[in-house]
Amino acid sequence: MAHYTNHLMLLFLATISFFSSTFSKDASSINVLSFGAKPNGKFDSTTSFLKAWSNACKSKESATFYVPKGNFLIKQVTFEGPCSNNIKFRIDGTIVAPSDYRSHGNSGMWIMFRNLNGFSVQGGTFDGKGDSYWRCRKSGSSCPAGARSITFSSCNDVKVSGLTSLNSQAMHIAVDHCKNILFKNVKIDAPSTSPNTDGFNVILSTGVTVSQAIISTGDDCIALSQGNTNVWIEHITCGPGHGISIGSLGAYKNEAGVHNVTVTDSIFEGTQNGVRIKSWAQPSNGYASNIVFRNLTMKNANNPIIIDQNYCPGDKSCPHQSSGVKISKVSYEHIRGTSACPQAINLDCSKSNPCEGIKLQDIDLVYGEGSTTSTCNNVGGINSGVVIPKSCVSLHSLNEK
Ligand SMILES: *[C@@H]1O[C@H](CO)[C@@H](O)[C@H](O)[C@H]1NC(C)=O
Ligand SMILES: *[C@@H]1O[C@H](CO)[C@@H](O)[C@H](O)[C@H]1NC(C)=O
């Protein structure tokens, strides 16, 4: 009898938990299953998601847009605001892109969140199914624009946590024109051979925080391009990937500068670069200033510390020109570990706009059994503490040819 009661009790509890997860008691919780979405990975749930979104967005009380466990096939879609409440997007399942890469057309987008104020995304896996698109790129045939997996455009006060992005066709997470956006505990995974699959790509945004991300991909783990201010990046594990990059800057004659960026407490493992600032070798009014790289560990990273102001791929459109981008007040503090090449520090600044206020402090970068070197062109700044390799930065190195 006791046995039987236990079973009944279990069944009762299981039923309760089934009902509370499927039809949350919270009246303003909007479950995509109620709008016809199917968790079988085959049924196109795009229209159901949009209907659910429209309901959640209209709600006067704060609404939860809920995606339960399972695989949901979703085509190119925009979750457009503004909404009447601070929507919470809670995802226990996986959002899957169509396996035919042509499905996104030439939009360059898969999932987009736009014009939203006060908004959060919790959990969820986004599987971009990028491999057939990368194969198209490699075969050299004409392919559509690669779709970025998740875009946040014109957003204020956004919190994204516990999200995973897999195998994006192009960038994984793109942020543009956002203010106060926090990413916490995000995981990004694509092969090292996948082209242009930046982990995060941020432009024209302010108050951007990325905390505790694990990023393995085929391009930059994080790329900050023009017009980003007040950016905080901490506890990142990057690799494989191209490192954390400010740039490319100076792509345009007229562009907004990058100001007040901190990258701290992070690890770079087998990356093509560690921390890089990169600008096109051509006229521009762009700039990068007040940048701090602190407490970073390099594990067999190529180019652990690099400034490249002579970027001009294929020597097309800008050969023998000089970058107009001004780089100033950049601090490298407490950076140690192993470099995959002897040249551990390479600061190649603009002839016409030399780097100023570069600081190297407590650096210890080694290369196998051999020693490491540093190279400077047009750099002015100071050293502090022990710097290995021997620093090429000095007040008078500014004028050295
Ligand atoms: C720099 O950005 C951080 C956030 O990353 C912010 O807390 C700080 O106030 C900013 N500093 C200035 C001087 O604006
Ligand atoms: C440096 O960063 C590591 C993570 O890479 C962290 O565990 C450690 O506490 C940090 N050290 C300091 C002095 O902040």
Side-chain angles (χ1 to χ4, degrees):
M1 183 65 190
H3 192 65
Y4 177 69
T5 320
N6 273 344
H7 270 86
L8 262 187
M9 195 62 194
L10 275 178
L11 184 64
F12 178 67
L13 287 174
T15 310
I16 287 187
S17 79
F18 171 77
F19 274 99
S20 63
S21 63
T22 313
F23 315 98
S24 175
K25 43 209 177 301
D26 180 358
S28 54
S29 173
I30 290 166
N31 188 327
V32 294
L33 295 181
S34 317
F35 293 83
K38 297 222 173 356
N40 60 12
K42 293 197 175 87
F43 177 82
D44 178 359
S45 295
T46 315
T47 311
S48 313
F49 270 53
L50 280 173
K51 277 189 204 147
W53 174 258
S54 153
N55 270 269
C57 190
K58 279 196 300 241
S59 166
K60 295 272 185 274
E61 41 187 322
S62 83
T64 299
F65 181 101
Y66 182 57
V67 181
K69 282 209 172 80
N71 294 320
F72 295 87
L73 176 66
I74 298 293
K75 293 188 173 158
Q76 202 261 313
V77 71
T78 300
F79 298 104
E80 184 85 49
C83 294
S84 314
N85 71 94
N86 294 349
I87 296 190
K88 194 196 284 174
F89 217 90
R90 195 157 79 77
I91 311 170
D92 288 338
T94 300
I95 315 279
V96 187
S99 46
D100 182 352
Y101 61 83
R102 284 167 301 204
S103 150
H104 302 307
N106 250 320
S107 67
M109 301 282 172
W110 178 30
I111 310 275
M112 165 111 120
F113 297 99
R114 188 166 58 196
N115 291 324
L116 290 160
N117 297 317
F119 168 65
S120 69
V121 183
Q122 275 175 29
T125 298
F126 291 75
D127 185 350
K129 297 268 177 212
D131 55 339
S132 66
Y133 179 72
W134 310 328
R135 275 203 300 278
C136 175
R137 290 272 308 261
K138 267 170 214 156
S139 75
S141 48
S142 71
C143 313
R148 22 180 97 171
S149 274
I150 311 170
T151 302
F152 296 91
S153 184
S154 303
C155 293
N156 291 325
D157 305 316
V158 180
K159 205 170 158 185
V160 179
S161 59
L163 178 150
T164 300
S165 176
L166 304 175
N167 298 329
S168 182
Q169 284 186 9
M171 301 165 185
H172 284 263
I173 297 177
V175 176
D176 74 88
H177 299 89
C178 286
K179 205 174 158 189
N180 298 334
I181 182 163
L182 163 69
F183 294 92
K184 192 156 186 176
N185 267 321
V186 166
K187 196 167 168 242
I188 286 168
D189 197 26
S192 63
T193 50
S194 57
N196 302 115
T197 50
D198 284 349
F200 288 87
N201 188 297
V202 185
I203 184 166
L204 294 163
S205 294
T206 188
V208 179
T209 304
V210 184
S211 178
Q212 297 175 327
I214 300 176
I215 306 170
S216 310
T217 194
D219 205 324
D220 293 335
C221 287
I222 301 177
L224 303 171
S225 48
Q226 62 153 315
N228 291 310
T229 58
N230 301 355
V231 178
W232 190 270
I233 295 170
E234 62 171 18
H235 297 290
I236 308 297
T237 302
C238 168
H242 294 186
I244 294 181
S245 210
I246 295 179
S248 302
L249 305 179
Y252 307 99
K253 249 200 159 77
N254 238 315
E255 66 174 40
V258 172
H259 184 73
N260 185 19
V261 174
T262 301
V263 177
T264 186
D265 300 355
S266 295
I267 298 171
F268 298 77
E269 201 159 2
T271 47
Q272 190 191 78
N273 303 286
V275 286
R276 171 171 64 167
I277 304 177
K278 179 168 129 182
S279 77
W280 286 82
Q282 61 190 21
S284 171
N285 64 352
Y287 64 89
S289 65
N290 296 63
I291 316 286
V292 177
F293 298 110
R294 184 193 302 129
N295 186 27
L296 308 176
T297 300
M298 303 291 164
K299 297 183 176 172
N300 209 29
N302 260 299
N303 307 310
I305 294 177
I306 179 167
I307 296 178
D308 174 10
Q309 290 209 265
N310 286 299
Y311 182 62
C312 186
D315 261 351
K316 285 198 187 106
S317 72
C318 49
H320 317 300
Q321 291 192 61
S322 168
S323 177
V325 172
K326 181 77 186 177
I327 296 177
S328 61
K329 294 196 189 154
V330 183
S331 237
Y332 299 90
E333 303 164 16
H334 195 209
I335 300 181
R336 71 266 163 209
T338 53
S339 173
C341 56
Q343 184 180 251
I345 300 178
N346 181 9
L347 307 175
D348 188 14
C349 294
S350 165
K351 257 200 316 280
S352 52
N353 293 279
C355 294
E356 277 171 13
I358 304 295
K359 179 174 161 196
L360 292 175
Q361 179 180 344
D362 301 326
I363 311 284
D364 187 0
L365 290 164
V366 299
Y367 167 69
E369 307 287 295
S371 52
T372 44
T373 61
S374 67
T375 309
C376 293
N377 283 312
N378 313 306
V379 180
I382 56 165
N383 303 293
S384 166
V386 175
V387 176
I388 302 168
K390 184 173 158 36
S391 177
C392 55
V393 173
S394 72
L395 283 171
H396 85 163
S397 69
L398 183 58
N399 301 319
E400 260 173 26
K401 280 276 133 67

